[in-house]
């Protein structure tokens, strides 16, 4: 049997549907973000990145770079093993203490990515708590869905950001049934923010644990960057807060925070933690420097908000519709995978603007979009150039549609 034929036929179908993904080959230049060197065909040598999750540019911050460089010179490259076998370094423990403090929790536990932390934590809770029923928001991230599926626990999906539907579905289970409500604060594709207080009210009414994914909020929201739960003063009511070090903190890794017993429970039973090599100590040191910096510095968050508002206002004035939300994520809806890819290619080739088209399965078919993420290091000139390019292309699309 020629397995390559099977592989190729399905890849061809992806291309035909407009959902085949092409990765831009870029090289971030230290100190010049959001500018990057492009190695893509038919694009300028230098482009401006408009779709990075390094929301605050902390991946280029001198404090973070210095911390990583110093630790790299002092400890070497890798951790040397899993946390269980020689990989449990002082830098890991210091970072976990910093993260626990960030969210006002007793303890924290590090993972190699936010995907792994969701998969491992939800998978372990669902598998190891007898009879647990997990109530999952309909738009939860793939990592949460995979963790729940892996656990083989009973799953109930409730309508997105709908506490009333959650209440109805929780009411179908008696008080003796252990329950966990899993949801996100900021949803990454639409940029909407959950009605957190109402969700917590419902969960507490039914005696359910709460599992909050704050990956697109940590560093960005709250007086110390603790996320939406900190901004609303609700973190103490959440059983487990999960976050990432690879977005606003600009480095790499994921984590959970909660009670000492909860974190020790995940540490002791999660295969996703036990059997994977620990983060390099230099990465942990860089992440800790970033977290500590953003606990006290408001500069990055304040400028970030200003640049997000400027881009939204510019798009509005140009008549380019975008999804309205209260977050920093600006989706411009295209609703066609082929057109979305074409627009992204033209922006890259003719204007030196890199934005990755978002298509199925990341978003449902028919909701394809260009997802812009302004940062404090995008200049006013960067924003003006983007709005000019989008205005030109939007008019061309409108004319083409009218002719068709």
């Amino acid at each position: 049997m020629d397995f390559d034929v099977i592989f190729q036929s399905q890849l061809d179908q992806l291309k035909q549907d407009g959902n085949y993904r092409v990765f831009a080959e870029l090289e971030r230049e230290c100190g010049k973000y959001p500018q990057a060197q492009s190695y893509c065909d038919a694009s300028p040598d230098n482009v401006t990145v408009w779709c990075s999750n390094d929301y605050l540019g902390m991946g280029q911050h001198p404090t973070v770079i210095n911390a990583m460089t110093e630790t790299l010179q002092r400890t070497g490259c890798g951790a040397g093993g899993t946390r269980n076998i020689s990989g449990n370094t002082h830098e890991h423990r210091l970072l976990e203490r910093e993260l626990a403090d960030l969210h006002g929790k007793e303890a924290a536990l590090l993972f190699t990515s936010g995907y792994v932390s969701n998969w491992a934590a939800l998978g372990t809770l669902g598998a190891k708590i007898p009879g647990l029923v997990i109530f999952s928001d309909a738009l939860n991230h793939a990592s949460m869905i995979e963790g729940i599926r892996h656990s083989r626990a009973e799953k109930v999906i409730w309508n997105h950001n709908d506490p009333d539907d959650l209440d109805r579905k929780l009411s179908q289970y008696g008080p003796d049934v252990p329950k966990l409500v899993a949801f996100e604060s900021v949803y990454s594709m639409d940029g909407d923010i959950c009605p957190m207080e109402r969700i917590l009210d419902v969960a507490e009414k039914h005696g359910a644990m709460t599992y909050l994914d704050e990956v697109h909020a940590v560093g960005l929201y709250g007086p110390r960057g603790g996320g939406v739960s900190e901004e609303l003063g609700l973190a103490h009511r959440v059983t487990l807060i999960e976050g990432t070090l690879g977005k606003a903190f600009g480095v790499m890794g994921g984590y959970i925070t909660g009670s000492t017993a909860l974190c020790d429970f995940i540490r002791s039973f999660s295969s996703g933690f036990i059997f994977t090599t620990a983060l390099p100590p230099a990465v942990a040191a860089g992440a800790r420097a970033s977290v500590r910096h953003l606990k006290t510095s408001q500069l990055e968050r304040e400028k970030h908000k200003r640049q997000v508002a400027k881009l939204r206002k510019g798009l509005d004035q140009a008549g380019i519709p975008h999804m309205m939300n209260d977050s920093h994520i600006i989706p411009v809806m295209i609703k066609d995978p082929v057109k979305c890819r074409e627009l992204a290619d033209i922006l890259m080739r003719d204007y030196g603007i890199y934005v990755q088209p978002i298509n199925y399965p990341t978003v449902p078919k028919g909701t394809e979009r260009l997802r812009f993420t302004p940062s404090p290091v995008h200049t006013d000139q960067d924003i003006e150039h983007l709005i000019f390019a989008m205005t030109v292309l939007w008019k061309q699309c409108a004319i083409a549609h009218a002719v068709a």
Side-chain angles (χ1 to χ4, degrees):
M1 181 176 289
D2 190 343
F3 288 99
D4 279 348
V5 172
I6 298 174
F7 303 150
Q8 195 58 54
S9 65
Q10 295 194 37
L11 290 170
D12 290 342
Q13 186 62 51
L14 270 182
K15 292 176 182 178
Q16 183 178 327
D17 294 341
N19 292 322
Y20 182 75
R21 301 183 183 205
V22 178
F23 296 162
E25 185 178 349
L26 305 174
E27 183 172 286
R28 286 160 59 108
E29 297 184 66
C30 188
K32 295 183 179 180
Y33 178 78
Q35 308 306 316
Q37 185 174 353
S38 172
Y39 292 92
C40 304
D41 295 334
S43 78
D45 291 339
N46 292 286
V47 299
T48 303
V49 179
W50 272 102
C51 55
S52 174
N53 286 339
D54 186 358
Y55 292 132
L56 298 177
M58 292 302 293
Q60 308 278 301
H61 198 284
T63 299
V64 177
I65 294 170
N66 291 340
M68 292 188 70
T69 302
E70 187 277 327
T71 307
L72 183 65
Q73 294 293 338
R74 177 166 47 85
T75 68
C77 296
T82 66
R83 295 284 292 278
N84 184 51
I85 303 175
S86 81
N88 186 48
T89 74
H90 187 51
E91 289 294 343
H92 295 111
R93 296 299 297 125
L94 290 174
L95 175 54
E96 285 173 340
R97 291 169 197 162
E98 200 74 55
L99 292 166
D101 174 77
L102 175 67
H103 294 292
K105 301 297 184 185
E106 292 178 350
L109 190 65
L110 277 174
F111 294 85
T112 51
S113 73
Y115 189 103
V116 174
S117 56
N118 269 334
W119 176 85
L122 284 166
T124 301
L125 292 169
K128 299 300 291 184
I129 299 177
L132 182 69
V133 180
I134 301 178
F135 295 79
S136 178
D137 184 284
L139 293 187
N140 275 343
H141 189 263
S143 58
M144 302 174 76
I145 295 169
E146 286 299 320
I148 296 167
R149 180 181 297 148
H150 176 74
S151 77
R152 298 186 179 180
E154 182 178 351
K155 176 180 70 173
V156 176
I157 298 174
W158 47 287
N159 295 338
H160 176 56
N161 279 349
D162 187 344
D164 293 331
D165 187 56
L166 173 63
D167 190 21
R168 284 190 294 269
K169 287 173 175 170
L170 281 165
S171 297
Q172 296 172 12
Y173 294 80
D176 295 333
V177 177
K179 310 171 189 69
L180 183 150
V181 175
F183 60 106
E184 301 180 37
S185 57
V186 178
Y187 286 82
S188 62
M189 290 300 111
D190 290 353
D192 52 334
I193 299 177
C194 75
M196 191 177 298
E197 186 169 18
R198 290 187 61 207
I199 292 171
L200 293 175
D201 287 344
V202 170
E204 289 167 359
K205 170 185 172 183
H206 295 276
M209 291 190 297
T210 45
Y211 185 109
L212 172 62
D213 177 318
E214 285 262 37
V215 297
H216 290 276
V218 289
L220 296 167
Y221 300 88
R224 301 195 311 157
V228 176
S229 57
E230 183 195 30
E231 186 167 277
L232 298 177
L234 298 171
H236 65 287
R237 294 175 58 186
V238 182
T239 310
L240 184 154
I241 297 176
E242 183 266 351
T244 184
L245 304 166
K247 292 183 171 60
F249 292 127
V251 191
M252 177 186 176
Y255 64 88
I256 61 168
T257 64
S259 70
T260 299
L262 187 155
C263 290
D264 197 17
F265 182 80
I266 302 298
R267 182 190 71 88
S268 300
F269 291 109
S270 169
S271 63
F273 176 83
I274 295 169
F275 297 108
T276 191
T277 299
L279 286 171
V283 171
R288 182 164 66 97
S290 184
V291 173
R292 292 189 68 175
H293 175 83
L294 290 173
K295 280 182 178 179
T296 58
S297 174
Q298 302 302 322
L299 177 66
E300 292 82 7
R301 283 189 284 273
E302 289 172 358
K303 188 172 182 185
H304 181 242
K305 290 177 183 177
R306 289 199 300 270
Q307 298 308 81
V308 170
K310 284 178 184 176
L311 180 55
R312 287 191 187 281
K313 182 178 179 181
L315 292 172
D316 287 339
Q317 291 175 339
I320 299 171
H322 53 95
M323 293 186 73
M324 297 306 299
N325 57 56
D326 293 323
S327 79
H328 57 284
I329 295 167
I330 305 179
V332 174
M333 303 302 290
I334 309 301
K335 301 182 180 180
D336 180 281
V338 175
K339 288 181 181 177
C340 200
R341 175 78 262 175
E342 288 176 350
L343 282 170
D345 288 344
I346 295 170
L347 285 169
M348 184 80 146
R349 183 192 67 213
D350 295 348
Y351 298 96
I353 291 169
Y354 170 53
V355 57
Q356 186 73 5
I358 304 295
N359 53 21
Y360 179 83
T362 305
V363 294
K365 292 179 179 179
T367 67
E368 293 80 11
R369 66 200 66 184
L370 299 177
R371 174 183 176 272
F372 295 100
T373 54
S375 77
V377 290
H378 283 96
T379 66
D380 291 351
Q381 290 73 28
D382 290 333
I383 294 173
E384 290 166 5
H385 180 61
L386 172 61
I387 293 169
F388 169 76
M390 287 295 293
T391 302
V392 171
L393 295 181
W394 209 256
K395 289 178 179 177
Q396 291 176 353
C397 286
I399 292 171
H401 181 73
V403 170

